[in-house]
Amino acid sequence: MELETGAVAEQTAAVTRATGKRSDRRRRAGRWRRGAFGALIAGAVVLPLAGAARPAVPAPAPASLAPLTASTLDAAYTANRANAAQASRMAAADGNDERAAADRSMADPSRRFLSFDGRGPGQATEVFGDLAHADRVAVLVPGSDTSVDTYDRFRAGALALHERLEREAPEGVRTAVVAWLGYRTPDTVSATVLTAGRAEQAAPHLREFIGELRRTAGPNADISLLCHSYGTVVCGRAAAGLDVSDIALVGSPGTGADSAAALHTPARVWAARGGDDWIAEVPHVEADLFGTTVGFGTDPVSPAFGAHVFAAGSGGHSDYFRPGSASLANLTRIVLGDTKAVTRA
């Protein structure tokens, strides 16, 4: 127990000591996050790992769909738009105007969802591009605080990637991007974000989804898994034997694995961290606290992890898919298989 307590004290002290050259705004945010991390380590021991209860959001059960294949895509898109429209009406009747607006946006005829569930925080899987004929498919896995209410910021990254893929793909190469919000993400300020519980729940669903993509996308499609923040923990739990070409970990707190080899994946494993990403100040360690493992171990951009580390520029934690960024340029090259053009950190 003394070793466990000492590890916690060392982590908290390391976070407290960490400083960076940032703007006043980012410096204040960094101090707040570092202080919160120390408190959350203790909270992970004594607080329920399920997190605080959210207000119930009324919505219909997800649409009943045939197994996903290229021939059932249009039917799935139609059914999920109808479900989102019904969810919007129910949220409006309940007085939740913000959720009603988010659901209504998802019901737009231009949107294409492989799945939609408006209940609670909500889940959704959206397609950008012609998935049935795609040669290159990128699947984005989000981190904490992503829900139907905050979905637009996740979607913006998927759109930015798809637009760049379309511009840079060689002639005749068709691309698609899938934004996979297929799990209940933890809150950034919560005990759940420090443990692998949500990731362990999510991993089987991600593995199942990749299997569905294999039946739905082009027969020889290369699939890349692009994972952000807590989403890298999900991808780490799902990686073993997964039928994907590449796994990219950006803004990662760690995956729970000591090395890329320990992920037991045949895929190339990539990692990057922006120069202004606060995640660098979070200790990449694991501590066993009263039977609960807190933290996610080895830093994926460290030499010890053994990933292919690529340049992400000077961006912050939310900038990896920002148009014009070095990280987006390199993620595009990874998805297209142009690995020799990836710039290294």
Side-chain angles (χ1 to χ4, degrees):
M1 186 61 67
E2 289 179 357
L3 290 175
E4 295 168 353
T5 304
V8 175
E10 183 178 346
Q11 293 169 52
T12 306
V15 174
T16 303
R17 290 194 302 268
T19 57
K21 294 181 180 179
R22 308 196 184 285
S23 65
D24 289 342
R25 179 178 60 81
R26 295 204 180 206
R27 203 158 44 234
R28 287 194 297 270
R31 284 196 297 266
W32 179 84
R33 289 181 187 277
R34 291 192 294 271
F37 185 81
L40 287 172
I41 288 176
V45 182
V46 299
L47 296 176
L49 294 181
R54 297 172 183 246
V57 178
S64 180
L65 304 173
L68 276 177
T69 64
S71 63
T72 64
L73 277 176
D74 286 341
Y77 297 154
T78 299
N80 285 311
R81 285 194 298 265
N83 191 276
Q86 185 180 356
S88 178
R89 292 190 292 270
M90 292 175 68
D94 192 55
N96 192 328
D97 294 337
E98 181 180 1
R99 174 57 68 85
D103 291 339
R104 186 164 55 251
S105 175
M106 291 178 166
D108 187 274
S110 66
R111 306 290 288 271
R112 293 179 290 184
F113 288 94
L114 296 176
S115 65
F116 175 81
D117 185 352
R119 299 173 297 180
Q123 297 180 17
T125 302
E126 188 169 11
V127 173
F128 307 87
D130 184 358
L131 182 60
H133 300 98
D135 304 299
R136 297 276 177 176
V137 180
V139 178
L140 275 58
V141 180
S144 59
D145 285 330
T146 309
S147 66
V148 167
D149 294 312
T150 63
Y151 179 80
D152 279 352
R153 68 188 184 195
F154 177 45
R155 182 176 190 263
L159 275 170
L161 176 63
H162 184 245
E163 289 169 359
R164 183 142 190 170
L165 286 169
E166 289 290 278
R167 288 199 309 269
E168 298 191 8
E171 185 176 355
V173 174
R174 294 163 293 192
T175 67
V177 173
V178 181
W180 185 80
L181 175 54
Y183 77 110
R184 182 177 176 182
T185 67
D187 295 333
T188 297
V189 182
S190 70
T192 53
V193 81
L194 299 177
T195 68
R198 294 283 174 87
E200 289 169 352
Q201 294 168 11
H205 299 293
L206 180 56
R207 293 179 64 85
E208 181 181 3
F209 177 68
I210 296 299
E212 290 178 337
L213 276 188
R214 283 288 168 212
R215 299 192 300 269
T216 306
N220 299 311
D222 284 295
I223 299 174
S224 298
L225 201 55
L226 311 184
C227 321
H228 175 241
S229 193
Y230 189 87
T232 66
V233 188
V234 176
C235 292
R237 290 298 191 274
L242 202 61
D243 189 10
V244 297
S245 302
D246 296 270
I247 299 175
L249 311 169
V250 295
S252 178
T255 64
D258 291 333
S259 66
L263 294 175
H264 302 294
T265 175
R268 286 179 295 250
V269 179
W270 304 83
R273 185 167 62 226
D276 204 21
D277 189 343
W278 58 263
I279 205 76
E281 298 167 0
V282 174
H284 287 81
V285 296
E286 288 181 304
D288 185 6
L289 304 177
F290 303 101
T292 298
T293 300
V294 178
F296 306 108
T298 309
D299 185 347
V301 302
S302 70
F305 191 77
H308 302 285
V309 180
F310 63 92
S314 60
H317 193 64
S318 301
D319 294 335
Y320 292 96
F321 295 90
R322 180 171 51 81
S325 64
S327 56
L328 182 62
N330 279 325
L331 288 167
T332 300
R333 293 165 187 146
I334 290 168
V335 174
L336 292 176
D338 190 10
T339 56
K340 291 183 179 179
V342 174
T343 58
R344 304 306 173 100

